[in-house]
């Protein structure tokens, strides 16, 4: 197995942790013999990366990814995928607020769900290979339409992150005296908000921009329900 990163610091961490057999910042060396390529980067960077790798991928290679948005990502790279290559978009629903090679741990994926959103004409064997890979690390795998995936994730993952960022932001803007008390007496529920809000801002910026339509749709539904709750409390 091989790993690529444009950052030498990340390459050194990967080598130190002995995560793969070979790690390099030379993208051609890493992928020219690969049978399966996994893309694990912020979703706005996909287009640039696919442009870089398309000339080095050997025929028959399977590409998958771990991005939290599917529809817009698929659209952003469709012109950069060679005809003899299968792209099986994937989203393992797992992870913590931490990022980087050192943030992985045994059991991270166990008993979680991974959603695959392949096109209808994608080779069944390619889908089977990617499905098997995720099952090997303990995940259950579902196949879903990309647009439907984005709507489901908007309400189950993306909006909770937006709310966490917002609440922590509200507290940051409180007067110093009350802010101290809020932090001092914060219960476990609030600690979860701060943990979620500590997630990588670049990754979340990209997710929100690339899933804007689904997020706005679900955010409007949430706001309506919040208003009903507000009225109920008022009355």
């Amino acid at each position: 197995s091989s790993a690529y990163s444009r950052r030498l610091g990340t390459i050194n961490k990967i080598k130190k942790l002995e995560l793969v057999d070979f790690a390099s910042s030379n993208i051609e060396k890493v992928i020219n013999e690969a049978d399966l390529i996994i893309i694990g980067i912020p979703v706005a960077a996909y287009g640039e990366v696919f442009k870089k790798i398309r000339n080095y991928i050997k025929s028959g290679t399977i590409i998958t990814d771990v991005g939290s948005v599917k529809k817009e990502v698929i659209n952003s790279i469709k012109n950069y995928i060679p005809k003899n290559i299968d792209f099986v978009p994937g989203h393992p629903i797992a992870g913590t607020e931490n990022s980087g090679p050192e943030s992985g741990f045994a059991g991270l994926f166990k008993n979680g769900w991974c959603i695959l959103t392949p096109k209808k004409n994608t080779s069944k064997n390619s889908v089977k290979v990617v499905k098997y890979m995720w099952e090997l690390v303990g995940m259950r795998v579902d196949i879903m339409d990309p647009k439907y995936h984005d709507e489901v994730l908007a309400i189950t993952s993306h909006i909770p992150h937006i709310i966490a960022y917002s609440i922590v932001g509200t507290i940051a803007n409180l007067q110093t005296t009350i802010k101290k008390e809020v932090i001092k007496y914060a219960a476990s529920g609030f600690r979860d908000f701060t943990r979620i809000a500590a997630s990588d801002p670049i990754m979340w910026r990209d997710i929100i921009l690339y899933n804007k339509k689904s997020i706005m749709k679900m955010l409007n539904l949430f706001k309506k329900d919040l208003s009903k709750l507000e009225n109920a409390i008022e009355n």
Side-chain angles (χ1 to χ4, degrees):
S1 59
S2 304
Y4 161 81
S5 173
R6 63 194 171 95
R7 292 192 179 96
L8 285 173
T10 305
I11 295 293
N12 291 333
K13 283 178 190 174
I14 291 168
K15 286 177 177 175
K16 195 177 175 185
L17 292 163
E18 298 179 342
L19 296 177
V20 292
D21 304 311
F22 174 70
S24 172
S25 56
N26 182 322
I27 203 163
E28 185 180 353
K29 276 185 185 175
V30 169
I31 67 162
N32 62 6
E33 288 303 315
D35 298 307
L36 174 66
I37 297 169
I38 305 162
I39 308 284
I41 55 175
V43 291
Y46 276 45
E48 203 55 45
V49 165
F50 270 80
K51 268 188 227 175
K52 272 185 191 174
I53 68 174
R54 63 179 168 175
N55 297 322
Y56 307 131
I57 310 166
K58 69 175 185 179
S59 180
T61 297
I62 301 164
I63 304 178
T64 189
D65 77 309
V66 297
S68 184
V69 182
K70 297 274 75 93
K71 188 169 179 281
E72 280 305 314
V73 163
I74 293 165
N75 286 339
S76 73
I77 58 165
K78 63 185 178 187
N79 297 327
Y80 307 129
I81 301 172
K83 287 192 171 74
N84 53 355
I85 302 301
D86 265 334
F87 178 47
V88 182
H91 178 206
I93 303 171
T96 66
E97 70 278 17
N98 302 311
S99 54
E102 69 279 17
S103 303
F105 54 88
L108 171 63
F109 299 109
K110 201 171 181 188
N111 298 323
W113 281 101
C114 180
I115 299 169
L116 304 181
T117 63
K119 287 199 298 186
K120 282 174 184 163
N121 61 351
T122 304
S123 150
K124 283 181 182 173
N125 185 61
S126 296
V127 176
K128 197 175 169 183
V129 167
V130 176
K131 183 173 183 277
Y132 182 58
M133 177 190 74
W134 289 116
E135 286 171 346
L136 281 174
V137 291
M139 297 202 96
R140 295 166 289 173
V141 180
D142 260 349
I143 308 291
M144 203 178 273
D145 171 76
K147 185 173 182 285
Y148 187 65
H149 163 277
D150 291 351
E151 290 193 350
V152 170
L153 268 293
I155 196 65
T156 58
S157 171
H158 305 165
I159 286 172
H161 270 82
I162 290 167
I163 292 165
Y165 278 123
S166 180
I167 287 175
V168 171
T170 301
I171 287 162
N173 292 326
L174 289 172
Q175 290 175 342
T176 309
T177 47
I178 190 169
K179 194 193 297 182
K180 278 181 187 170
E181 305 307 327
V182 166
I183 292 164
K184 183 178 175 182
Y185 300 117
S188 59
F190 179 72
R191 281 197 292 275
D192 280 339
F193 276 128
T194 59
R195 183 185 60 77
I196 292 166
S199 300
D200 181 8
I202 293 171
M203 182 181 83
W204 278 98
R205 175 201 66 190
D206 288 0
I207 287 168
I208 290 161
L209 291 173
Y210 271 66
N211 200 25
K212 183 178 174 180
K213 207 171 177 181
S214 295
I215 288 170
M216 291 304 290
K217 179 181 174 181
M218 295 299 173
L219 209 48
N220 279 323
L221 291 173
F222 174 71
K223 282 198 299 185
K224 282 175 188 170
D225 288 338
L226 195 59
S227 290
K228 286 177 192 171
L229 191 59
E230 194 179 11
N231 289 333
I233 295 165
E234 178 72 34
N235 295 324

